[in-house]
Amino acid sequence: MSSAIVVPFDHQASAKSVAGVDPAKLWALTPSGGKPPKAGTARTFYNTPESKTTSVVSLGEGFASKPAEVKREIVRKAVGSAVKDLKGYDGVKDVAIDASLDPHAAAVAAHLALYKFTLKTSPPSPFDPNLKEPIPPKLQFSPIEASKEWDRGVIYAESQNLARTLMEYPANMMTPTLFTERVKQEFAGIPNVEIIVRDEAWAAEKGMNVFLSVTRGTSEPAKFLEIHYKGAADKNAQPLAFVGKGITFDTGGISLKPGAGMKLMRGDMGGAATVVSAALAIAKLQLPINLVVTTPLTENMPGPSATKPGDIIYAMNGKSVEVDNTDAEGRLVLSDAIYYTSTEYKPHTLIDVATLTGAMVIALGEVYSGVFASSDELWQQLYEAGQIEHDRMWRMPLDDEFGPQIHSSNADLQNTGGRPAGSATAALFLKPFVNGLEPKEGEPTIKWAHLDIAGSMEATRPSPYQDKGMTGRPVRALVEFTRRLANSA
């Protein structure tokens, strides 16, 4: 096995030798055409100093003059392109990366670009659930100069990759039970963490009838997972809360989805996958904050006891809910989970994440995650975290004028309001379940944001550091948001 080095190259800057490699001299050996090539263009050389394979990767034109967030994304693209190039060569194992421009971004890009989910048996897949011993990654990365920023970037990327893995597994390999077992395995040995797995009997005692209505068509036992991380100096301080939609497979129930492309619905637990994975990064970094994560986990199947369109159920908060369409099940499981979390743990901020509506795919495609926020300050914090990590978000309207679409049935709420503004009516459905958001007297005691990731859950076009497939977004944005929030307290 040989070693390799990755060197991002700014064509307009005075080139410096990196670990004995002169990037300008190497680049001069290639046809350049005069103008610097597009950022991320990689050139790989052999038998360079110390017999290393060297990948020199362009930062494009005018790198030094670009804004900080743009430069950070260019570094990601450059390092990601080099890693994608190197992983195609047999024999290369250890890769040193010149991460001096942005260690965090370089680490994120390297580990995201290496990821490739497969269950093919030749060569053996590291994702094979029957493995007795883990298979090491094809490439091992290290920065030329060690730094805390690099180490932090590795944790961000590995946590996002966990979310990608949870979402990619087929539904027979990621049932509610298997999901909770994997989470317990991932958090084993991390200090200040408690994992609690609840069952359907517990949910029934709590009056989570709307959540349980989604479980009626499946033979797989539903679970309600809680993760408690107490990293603040005051372990009793108000927590931040994440709630994630955990539909491990969504057929649509009685309102059956079309068969074409239904296998994508293995990723309908993307909200649960991302909040759990973000919590893992937060706990590994030992951020000084208290965090509660809850995920209602179930399949949505058309069994003989399945909930039927037109059924009316009383939620945990006492409100009556008409199930107009059983394929709008995500807001049903979230509603009881949000109410339970906001009443039981009284967080100062609650963020729910869900692959919730096809309307969001139409609105924003796969570029942005949609955000409905009750607070301008909370929106700004999420926006800034998303910009820094290029895990971007776009604010959507949380407006009561959409209310008649879901308030005009025989119940307090109807779980769909028709095609118009489908994402907005879904968010509005969740709003009454956030305890403390609309008190009878005084100001709200909680800030709330609903993240609809139905579009950003999947990449259909590869990027330099993101192959096609489940994305694991918005893990990095949530971790960065929490890191900034914890450090500002």
Side-chain angles (χ1 to χ4, degrees):
M1 290 292 180
S2 65
S3 59
I5 184 170
V6 171
V7 183
F9 178 41
D10 183 354
H11 300 262
Q12 284 86 33
S14 298
K16 299 178 181 179
S17 292
V18 178
V21 172
D22 185 339
K25 185 177 179 180
L26 287 176
W27 197 274
L29 300 174
T30 68
S32 63
K35 187 178 180 180
K38 184 179 178 182
T41 302
R43 298 284 185 264
T44 301
F45 305 86
Y46 303 94
N47 298 320
T48 54
E50 302 179 14
S51 300
K52 288 182 177 178
T53 299
T54 300
S55 182
V56 180
V57 57
S58 175
L59 295 170
E61 190 170 11
F63 174 78
S65 63
K66 297 186 184 297
E69 290 172 6
V70 176
K71 290 165 79 171
R72 174 169 259 202
E73 178 62 4
I74 290 173
V75 170
R76 289 190 202 96
K77 287 180 176 179
V79 173
S81 295
V83 168
K84 280 192 171 183
D85 200 33
L86 288 172
K87 72 180 183 180
Y89 296 100
D90 291 330
V92 173
K93 182 65 176 176
D94 297 311
V95 180
I97 296 177
D98 174 17
S100 57
L101 290 170
D102 192 325
H104 177 99
V108 164
H111 289 84
L112 292 184
L114 182 62
Y115 181 92
K116 178 71 174 177
F117 184 88
T118 177
L119 290 173
K120 292 181 184 293
T121 57
S122 181
S125 167
F127 302 101
D128 183 346
N130 300 312
L131 283 178
K132 298 295 187 291
E133 296 291 336
I135 297 174
K138 182 172 184 179
L139 302 178
Q140 298 277 2
F141 302 113
S142 62
I144 290 175
E145 294 184 11
S147 69
K148 291 182 180 178
E149 290 78 10
W150 170 276
D151 295 340
R152 188 177 70 222
V154 172
I155 290 174
Y156 275 51
E158 288 181 343
S159 297
Q160 182 174 345
N161 284 342
L162 171 62
R164 295 164 86 180
T165 300
L166 294 172
M167 294 169 73
E168 287 285 9
Y169 270 122
N172 63 317
M173 295 182 183
M174 196 48 62
T175 64
T177 299
L178 292 172
F179 185 99
T180 59
E181 289 176 355
R182 178 63 182 263
V183 169
K184 286 189 285 187
Q185 175 187 332
E186 293 290 338
F187 278 86
I190 299 177
N192 302 315
V193 172
E194 181 184 13
I195 308 289
I196 303 171
V197 180
R198 317 282 195 181
D199 60 14
E200 292 179 28
W202 172 88
E205 289 175 7
K206 287 291 183 181
M208 292 185 176
N209 301 314
V210 180
F211 165 45
L212 292 174
S213 74
V214 181
T215 73
R216 300 195 193 286
T218 177
S219 59
E220 283 289 343
K223 302 292 181 183
F224 192 94
L225 173 68
E226 297 186 28
I227 302 170
H228 297 264
Y229 165 69
K230 295 191 174 182
D234 179 2
K235 305 304 181 188
N236 296 315
Q238 262 189 302
L240 167 67
F242 294 157
V243 180
K245 171 188 170 185
I247 305 297
T248 57
F249 194 80
D250 181 19
T251 67
I254 295 296
S255 306
L256 193 66
K257 291 177 181 291
M262 192 191 287
K263 68 179 181 180
L264 182 65
M265 290 299 98
R266 69 190 185 279
D268 207 25
M269 31 61 74
T274 54
V275 296
V276 160
S277 299
L280 181 63
I282 291 162
K284 284 183 173 180
L285 293 166
Q286 288 292 289
L287 297 182
I289 196 168
N290 293 338
L291 173 69
V292 174
V293 177
T294 61
T295 64
L297 297 155
T298 182
E299 294 180 336
N300 183 27
M301 301 288 283
S305 300
T307 295
K308 302 166 290 298
D311 286 358
I312 295 178
I313 304 121
Y314 289 88
M316 187 180 176
N317 69 348
K319 288 190 178 293
S320 56
V321 174
E322 181 174 337
V323 181
D324 180 63
N325 186 320
T326 64
D327 194 23
E329 85 299 328
R331 68 205 72 180
L332 299 178
V333 301
L334 283 174
S335 58
D336 279 338
I338 288 171
Y339 184 73
Y340 166 76
T341 306
S342 57
T343 53
E344 186 77 14
Y345 301 113
K346 296 179 172 53
H348 54 75
T349 304
L350 188 148
I351 299 171
D352 76 77
V353 186
T355 53
L356 206 63
T357 63
M360 188 57 71
V361 183
I362 302 303
L364 298 179
E366 60 191 57
V367 177
Y368 292 89
S369 297
V371 179
F372 298 83
S374 69
S375 156
D376 292 342
E377 181 186 17
L378 176 56
W379 156 245
Q380 190 63 31
Q381 291 168 332
L382 286 167
Y383 169 78
E384 290 174 1
Q387 290 295 108
I388 286 291
E389 287 298 321
H390 201 73
D391 191 354
R392 294 179 295 170
M393 305 184 187
W394 193 266
R395 193 174 191 180
M396 305 291 287
L398 185 64
D399 196 311
D400 288 335
E401 287 199 32
F402 295 113
Q405 292 178 235
I406 57 171
H407 294 152
S408 301
S409 74
N410 287 328
D412 297 323
L413 291 163
Q414 184 171 268
N415 77 328
T416 59
R419 287 175 60 84
S423 298
T425 54
L428 203 61
F429 179 94
L430 297 174
K431 188 178 177 183
F433 297 94
V434 187
N435 189 54
L437 189 62
E438 297 180 306
K440 292 181 180 179
E441 296 181 0
E443 295 296 315
T445 58
I446 190 172
K447 296 174 184 176
W448 169 60
H450 161 60
L451 276 58
D452 191 334
I453 62 169
S456 59
M457 69 178 277
E458 184 192 24
T460 60
R461 300 178 302 276
S463 77
Y465 59 92
Q466 171 78 64
D467 265 336
K468 290 182 180 181
M470 302 298 183
T471 64
R473 293 176 58 194
V475 167
R476 295 198 332 272
L478 289 174
V479 179
E480 182 64 16
F481 161 81
T482 306
R483 187 179 73 85
R484 289 164 164 248
L485 188 66
N487 291 335
S488 66

